[in-house]
Amino acid sequence: MLPTRIAVLGGGLTGLSSAFHLSRRFPKAKVVLLEEKARLGGWVRSERVNLPQIGASVLLEAGPRSLRPNSKSVLELIHLLKLEDQVIKIPKTAPPAKARFLYIPKSDASSSVGLQRIPSSFLSLLGSPLLPVLLPAILREPFKRANRDPGTQDETVDSLFSRRFGETFARTFGSALVHGIYATDSRSLSIRAAFPSVWEAEERGRGSIVRGFLMPFKKKKSEDRYDIGNVLEMMRDVSVYSFRDGMETLTKALEDSLLSSTNVIVLKNTRVSSLNLLEDKSMEISHSQGESLNATHVVSALPLPVLHNLISGHEKLNPIPNLTKNPTSTVHVVNFVFPTPPKNIHPEGFGYLIPRPPDGYPTANSANSHGILGTVFDSCSLHEQDLPLTKDYYNQASHTKLSIMTGGPYPKLPLPQHLTSDNEAMPPFIRSLLDELKVQLGRDLPDPVYWRISTNEACIPTLLPGHLQRMAELKDALKAWDSRLAVVGAGVGGVSVGDCVEAGRQVGKDWL
């Protein structure tokens, strides 16, 4: 049965993408998007701050800040929403693309401590302080016997890296990588769900990851055709990109498109309280705006535990398994703006990640309880967002902006949802964070002219081992809902912006 009334629950990036593509796929159907908050976009939040004391207008991000040009679904949106002239491109030859760092604390047993540049070529590896950790692990791996236990269907990122490259490599590089993407403990994250190409390389290489990546193999070709225009050509030789007014450019353009569509209704400040399957297989959605909404088809882009609460307690509803299996990470994004060029604050590059401490994550009462996962040098990678533009931004810009990510697997901090220096004295946490930043960057820092804390509560799900199998079970259970309920989002597929947009693009294809 073709949909005649589709309800999309949740106005984050996945919900926006779902509503956008469904309204185009089913132009005769009415699409209703329901969002609990007063704004759409979820964790994508960009804000421009005018700072007269340094004569600059600075763009700050509280969520995702840049994209890799490997997601065709996002490139398609750029074309369809006519955002080409808003794109900021970082070439592969630029310092932010070539220079990325690790910070190794002095308490670490490693012989190389402090801020260390990650080698980007074999020659740079030979002169790198990270050589004793990297080179032996990579050279030995192809000659190690296959050591995955028979019958193993999944394992953690740390387990696989430890098996193949050793525990030091796994903690130093594996845990730092996971901190930067999933903000969680690599000892908990599923390798198959998070990094499927690594799992497949081990299988292809008959037990060796290095051998598997070196072997020629055919990439799976998508049968989908993306309406990209010339955007793919525009992204040639680009490492990462963003938008002149931040990532919210994308979500606001999606919102504007939906509001201008004749077959779309957007309901903000609308909390969904229950979801019920009726005898005719349509669904009844109770919400805070008055009369319940009936829909022939429903897309849930809500966090899986929220969906669980909506359908639990209804005896007549077919249960949906595995909605509460995965824990989540809370991430605090702390933006700083310093009144001096980047050359006085940090090395030229993208930023740095910090591995898991050798003795495990500290307790809440430990001295190192800031929970810093990594720092992004925004003035290097995204300097074109700030006004006025400075050609030699690294040496001559009026300011430096950078962002620190804290939280994840570290003890939870009692921080507010949103706090800025506009109306608050500098709290002890910000002062102690600045003191730690001085240690990590190895230099004195001036007081910032602006700072901001944004708390993203339970923003990233930790996909535990067995996640793919559990999601297959979830999808199978939806057949009992006559396949009229689709469940999508970061808790189902990947957590990246591209994954969320692609999930929305795919939803409803089996309704045709």
Side-chain angles (χ1 to χ4, degrees), residues 46-303:
S46 311
E47 181 184 0
R48 186 169 291 282
V49 179
N50 292 316
L51 301 174
Q53 58 269 53
I54 58 171
S57 170
V58 181
L59 196 286
L60 302 176
E61 298 279 19
R65 62 200 58 238
S66 61
L67 298 160
R68 291 192 177 276
N70 55 0
S71 171
K72 290 185 177 180
S73 57
V74 180
L75 301 183
E76 181 180 55
L77 285 185
I78 291 173
H79 174 61
L80 294 177
L81 298 171
K82 297 179 171 56
L83 300 177
E84 289 91 342
D85 61 345
Q86 298 296 313
V87 172
I88 293 174
K89 298 174 288 184
I90 310 300
K92 293 179 180 178
T93 55
K98 298 172 67 176
R100 296 168 185 259
F101 300 85
L102 282 182
Y103 175 72
I104 312 294
K106 290 183 179 179
S107 58
D108 200 293
S110 173
S111 59
S112 54
V113 297
L115 208 58
Q116 304 293 343
R117 181 169 174 169
I118 300 173
S120 57
S121 66
F122 183 73
L123 287 178
S124 63
L125 171 61
L126 294 179
S128 170
L130 297 172
L131 178 70
V133 177
L134 269 171
L135 192 61
I138 294 173
L139 290 181
R140 291 170 184 165
E141 195 272 345
F143 302 100
K144 291 179 69 172
R145 65 176 180 84
N147 59 354
R148 182 194 295 173
D149 288 339
T152 299
Q153 298 299 311
D154 198 1
E155 61 185 312
T156 67
V157 172
D158 188 79
S159 171
L160 183 141
F161 278 25
S162 294
R163 278 197 300 104
R164 298 308 307 168
F165 299 105
E167 293 182 4
T168 301
F169 180 99
R171 183 181 63 80
T172 305
F173 295 98
S175 69
L177 175 66
V178 169
H179 281 172
I181 301 175
Y182 287 88
T184 193
D185 188 344
S186 61
R187 297 171 297 184
S188 300
L189 185 67
S190 159
I191 187 71
R192 291 196 69 183
F195 305 107
S197 62
V198 179
W199 176 273
E200 293 164 3
E202 186 185 18
E203 292 189 331
R204 191 167 57 248
R206 298 182 180 180
S208 168
I209 296 172
V210 172
R211 213 164 43 228
F213 275 120
L214 292 176
M215 292 173 62
F217 67 97
K218 292 183 179 180
K219 292 184 179 180
K220 298 177 182 177
K221 289 186 178 181
S222 172
E223 295 181 359
D224 284 351
R225 292 186 177 182
Y226 295 82
D227 188 0
I228 294 178
N230 68 344
V231 178
L232 195 61
E233 180 64 25
M234 187 178 79
M235 293 296 180
R236 185 182 297 275
D237 297 323
V238 169
S239 174
V240 295
Y241 69 96
S242 185
F243 301 94
R244 202 165 303 281
D245 287 312
M247 292 294 295
E248 209 167 317
T249 299
L250 183 63
T251 55
K252 284 184 175 179
L254 281 168
E255 179 179 357
D256 290 344
S257 176
L258 294 177
L259 291 174
S260 65
S261 298
T262 57
N263 65 330
V264 177
I265 298 173
V266 177
L267 299 177
K268 301 179 186 179
N269 294 308
T270 304
R271 183 179 62 85
V272 177
S273 55
S274 69
L275 177 65
N276 193 20
L277 184 65
L278 304 178
E279 290 185 4
D280 63 354
K281 298 298 183 181
S282 67
M283 278 167 272
E284 180 184 51
I285 300 146
S286 300
H287 58 82
S288 59
Q289 290 292 346
E291 293 185 8
S292 59
L293 169 70
N294 277 23
T296 59
H297 295 73
V298 172
V299 176
S300 173
L302 300 167

Side-chain angles (χ1 to χ4, degrees), residues 420-484:
T420 76
S421 57
D422 288 332
N423 49 18
E424 295 287 342
M426 187 179 290
F429 173 75
I430 291 292
R431 176 57 64 188
S432 64
L433 201 61
L434 282 170
D435 290 340
E436 183 62 27
L437 187 62
K438 292 178 184 179
V439 173
Q440 293 177 1
L441 294 175
R443 62 183 79 185
D444 288 332
L445 301 176
D447 281 346
V449 294
Y450 188 85
W451 55 264
R452 183 182 73 171
I453 301 173
S454 301
T455 297
N456 301 311
E457 186 74 33
C459 61
I460 306 177
T462 298
L463 312 178
L464 301 177
H467 176 76
L468 297 183
Q469 177 60 36
R470 289 192 295 273
M471 291 304 99
E473 294 169 1
L474 183 153
K475 187 175 181 179
D476 190 60
L478 293 177
K479 294 177 182 177
W481 291 66
D482 202 28
S483 297
R484 298 192 190 190

